[in-house]
Amino acid sequence: MIPWLGSAPEFPPVSKALREPNGLLAAGGDLSSERLLAGYQRGIFPWYSASEPILWWSPDPRTVLFPHSIRLSHSLRKTLRKHDYDIRLDHAFSEVVSGCSTPRRPGAGTWITPEMQAAYCRLHEEGHAHSVETWRNGRLIGGLYGVALGRVFFGESMFSRENDASKIALAHLARYLEQRGFAVIDCQMTTEHLLSMGATEIPRAEFCENLARWTTEGVSAGKWPREACAQFFETVKHDTA
């Protein structure tokens, strides 16, 4: 059995999370900004479908990507060198979240419910949640969003409407975070896609121990500067030459 959360933004220790399903810790509560941020600081995130109560997770091991360790395939390097796209930060956050909520295949559901979308848009307005967007010819073709606390970026989801659009966004995010002293990108769940780009698994205990320090370091909350795109694009282009 897992505990049912009350009105206070409190969580049980992550060591109490279930082994199967891996990381399920608690249910209930709400998606207030206070509770979401309290969860992230402890290595806990919400993930549930529309037919379920809010479920809170902290899997072990934890999949992370260290910004300097991102791995770019030959084909992605070629795409980055072409630069037939634009990268924007925090330009169309709600559109990115909406794009991520679109089912990957006909008839499939989505865990990014309207309630979840509203919660992360609030975090964005408060300066905690951010988007990295890939544009081509004035059209949003892919991107990602997540939450930044201290020196940690907690990735939530990504989407593509054209080949490699989300990978392009992730490549730029990694370089942007590396240049600004971020320690890690939390990928939450393990996928072959993320592993192919350099993500790795670490013990949850190690991850949470580092979070206590990482989330209290670095810059404070606030919108990311849109002009930063031009600054770090040249670095990404140089790295792929």
Side-chain angles (χ1 to χ4, degrees):
M1 296 291 291
I2 58 172
W4 188 268
L5 300 181
S7 58
E10 300 173 348
F11 294 93
V14 295
S15 60
K16 300 294 185 181
L18 300 181
R19 291 181 179 272
E20 184 59 40
N22 181 16
L24 181 57
L25 178 67
D30 55 41
L31 295 176
S32 66
S33 295
E34 184 180 14
R35 189 186 296 272
L36 286 169
L37 295 177
Y40 283 116
Q41 288 172 329
R42 293 163 176 78
I44 303 164
F45 59 88
W47 184 41
Y48 65 102
S49 67
S51 61
E52 298 173 329
I54 300 173
L55 300 177
W56 299 90
W57 302 77
S58 186
D60 187 17
R62 193 63 165 244
T63 303
V64 300
L65 174 62
F66 298 103
H68 66 276
S69 298
I70 189 167
R71 186 182 305 133
L72 306 178
S73 66
H74 176 75
S75 61
L76 181 56
R77 288 175 180 272
K78 184 177 180 181
T79 298
L80 293 170
R81 285 196 298 270
K82 286 175 62 178
H83 191 209
D84 59 347
Y85 60 87
D86 295 312
I87 292 291
R88 303 179 188 178
L89 305 178
D90 286 353
H91 181 79
F93 182 87
S94 62
E95 292 179 50
V96 171
V97 176
S98 178
C100 291
S101 73
T102 302
R104 299 297 194 260
R105 58 186 184 279
T110 177
W111 60 272
I112 307 177
T113 64
E115 182 183 25
M116 288 280 277
Q117 293 184 50
Y120 284 87
C121 284
R122 284 195 300 272
L123 283 178
H124 174 65
E125 290 304 316
E126 295 165 2
H128 300 293
H130 305 277
S131 59
V132 181
E133 309 147 16
T134 308
W135 294 75
R136 180 174 285 130
N137 298 325
R139 175 174 172 265
L140 179 65
I141 62 170
L144 59 85
Y145 76 97
V147 175
L149 285 178
R151 297 200 300 130
V152 182
F153 185 84
F154 300 88
E156 278 298 314
S157 188
M158 57 178 62
F159 80 103
S160 289
R161 291 173 179 153
E162 296 184 11
N163 287 341
D164 287 343
S166 63
K167 292 181 180 180
I168 291 171
L170 182 57
H172 283 274
L173 171 68
R175 177 58 66 215
Y176 179 78
L177 297 180
E178 183 181 5
Q179 290 182 349
R180 281 148 186 80
F182 274 67
V184 72
I185 300 170
D186 174 31
C187 302
Q188 299 179 345
M189 300 293 191
T190 303
T191 68
E192 291 301 320
H193 166 70
L194 290 169
L195 293 177
S196 71
M197 295 192 70
T200 188
E201 293 181 333
I202 63 174
R204 179 179 59 208
E206 176 185 338
F207 175 72
C208 291
E209 181 180 356
N210 284 320
L211 276 186
R213 172 170 48 88
W214 287 338
T215 57
T216 59
E217 300 171 339
V219 299
S220 57
K223 296 290 182 66
W224 281 355
R226 296 180 182 179
E227 65 272 12
C229 300
Q231 298 171 9
F232 70 80
F233 170 74
E234 288 302 323
T235 304
V236 174
K237 185 177 180 181
H238 173 77
D239 288 349
T240 57

